[in-house]
Amino acid sequence: MITGGRELLNFCSNDYLGLAQSLDVTAALQESAAWQGVGSTASHLICGHHREHALLEEELADWLGYPRALLFGSGYLANLGLLQALLGKDDVVVQDKLNHACLLDGARLAGCELKRYPHGDIESAERQLQSRPEAAAMLATDGVFSMDGDVAPLRELARICKTENALLHVDDAHGVGVVGPGGRGSVAAQGLTSREVPLLLVTFGKAMGTYGAAICGPADVIDALIETARPYGFTTALPPALASATRRSLSLIKNEPWRRFKLAALIARFRRAARQLGLPLLDSSTPIQPLLVHANAEALRASRELQERGLLVSAIRPPTVPEGRARLRVTLSSAHSESEVDRLLDALAEVLKDHLMPPRLAKATNR
Ligand SMILES: *Cc1c(COP(=O)(O)O)cnc(C)c1O
């Protein structure tokens, strides 16, 4: 990627499988636009719902094992729409403190009560559900957490949702395409299905390399979303060519597992070397590999020094992460080569030399 006239090696995109640049996917976009035009020309409810949209919805639902899927303009809009349509002022949504901002904003739009439990703390989540036994309740969590790269304890969350009669919604923006059998995401990775996790958000802007999103769920919920989710009905439908490109991405995810295998090998290579160097890794098995430096100024300095070395790694600071938890957020992609990952590791060892942990300690804190 080119920044300021200079070519930089990109380690902060969410294009985990290199599909944003895939010739197959760009060709699908171009071919579709050539005969269907660029814009969808209306909302889904008027005349913006094209055949490509319907096919993508069917293919997603079928692949992920859900009764239905419904397209939204983006993941942000999908979470707003889902929460606004399903929850009202007498209801409650219980959320992990590290959930993505759009799940919090969805609760605001719904006007329901929002309770947040400490990251991954199942007992707190259970207590929060129990505190409002009379209310309709949803528990919403990221599947893979976007800034930490760790995965939610979905089996335990599914168990408490069952006993507390709450609806479980998993936002798997960073999981689908990357983790689990066949790349089917965090729910499948933990051996769960649409029975235990009735609602699932898939976004297309990450591993799929395109743009847009879908909510997968039961038919009655999808019908309710079509009728009442304002961020569904009152906005122009995705360009059909984007739906077509996303269908091609989906077929590559199904038919070219080497992308996922190569990504997994790069993640293992990165973590092994990073541990040996004593880099301040978090406990993540996904392509999101944050390096915790704590102070905002340090994160900015390290990011700047990496850029001087031709590497693009973003500094993430509050409010995106909690105070005192500033970091470099490295993301790996199957489009990277081993030697590019090695080049990143060498540069990280230099710019983070004041943050290194003794290798044994680093190993202990990362299991
Ligand atoms: C990126 C992201 C979203 C938003 O998806 P967009 O399609 O980019 O709007 C929602 N949830 C999580 C966890 C994300 O990482």
Side-chain angles (χ1 to χ4, degrees), residues 293-342:
V293 298
H294 303 287
N296 298 350
E298 273 297 277
L300 288 172
R301 176 199 56 78
S303 173
R304 200 175 51 240
E305 292 184 9
L306 288 170
Q307 188 154 341
E308 285 159 10
R309 289 164 169 78
L311 299 162
L312 191 64
V313 178
S314 56
I316 307 284
R317 292 164 293 154
T320 308
V321 290
E323 285 297 331
R325 303 272 295 169
R327 66 198 62 186
L328 290 177
R329 178 175 176 272
V330 168
T331 52
L332 299 172
S333 166
S334 66
H336 291 130
S337 66
E338 288 186 350
S339 65
E340 287 170 341
V341 170
D342 294 348

Side-chain angles (χ1 to χ4, degrees), residues 17-256:
L17 301 175
L19 292 175
Q21 306 285 342
S22 146
L23 290 178
D24 268 339
V25 177
T26 53
L29 184 80
Q30 286 168 342
E31 283 160 22
S32 175
W35 68 273
Q36 302 195 84
V38 176
S40 66
T41 78
S43 70
H44 286 284
L45 298 176
I46 308 291
C47 61
H49 192 70
H50 295 239
R51 187 179 142 77
E52 286 297 319
H53 296 129
L55 291 172
L56 176 57
E57 288 175 342
E58 278 170 30
E59 288 165 6
L60 279 170
D62 181 54
W63 180 54
L64 294 166
Y66 279 75
R68 294 265 297 277
L70 185 70
L71 297 185
F72 280 83
S74 71
Y76 187 95
L77 287 176
N79 273 336
L80 291 189
L82 179 75
L83 272 62
Q84 172 258 311
L86 298 192
L87 300 167
K89 69 175 176 24
D90 297 329
D91 307 328
V92 62
V93 64
V94 170
Q95 302 200 17
D96 190 293
K97 275 210 169 137
L98 295 190
N99 272 357
H100 192 271
C102 61
L103 283 167
L104 307 178
D105 295 353
R108 255 183 235 144
L109 188 61
C112 63
E113 186 185 1
L114 168 64
K115 288 176 178 279
R116 300 172 73 193
Y117 54 91
H119 183 47
D121 185 339
I122 294 142
E123 278 158 29
S124 293
E126 187 168 27
R127 273 198 304 277
Q128 290 179 351
L129 288 175
Q130 287 166 346
S131 71
R132 293 280 312 275
E134 80 296 347
M138 174 190 286
L139 191 149
T141 180
D142 288 12
V144 172
F145 288 88
S146 51
M147 294 300 137
D148 287 48
D150 59 337
V151 296
L154 296 181
R155 294 181 73 90
E156 290 82 355
L157 292 173
R159 179 178 52 76
I160 63 171
C161 283
K162 188 167 178 209
T163 52
E164 300 306 324
N165 200 20
L167 195 55
L168 179 54
H169 169 48
V170 173
D171 173 345
D172 211 17
H174 294 278
V176 168
V178 175
V179 304
R184 292 198 310 281
S186 313
V187 172
Q190 298 189 37
L192 301 171
T193 68
S194 60
R195 248 191 327 172
E196 296 86 11
V197 181
L199 296 171
L200 176 70
L201 171 69
V202 184
T203 63
F204 309 152
K206 277 128 193 183
M208 303 250 191
T210 64
Y211 188 78
I215 296 281
C216 300
D220 57 343
V221 170
I222 298 298
D223 286 337
L225 291 179
I226 292 171
E227 275 177 32
T228 60
R230 297 169 67 85
Y232 177 78
F234 292 100
T235 190
T236 303
L238 276 182
L242 263 176
S244 180
T246 306
R247 291 181 62 210
R248 192 70 61 92
S249 284
L250 179 56
S251 109
L252 293 178
I253 288 171
K254 288 185 205 164
N255 298 317
E256 295 188 354

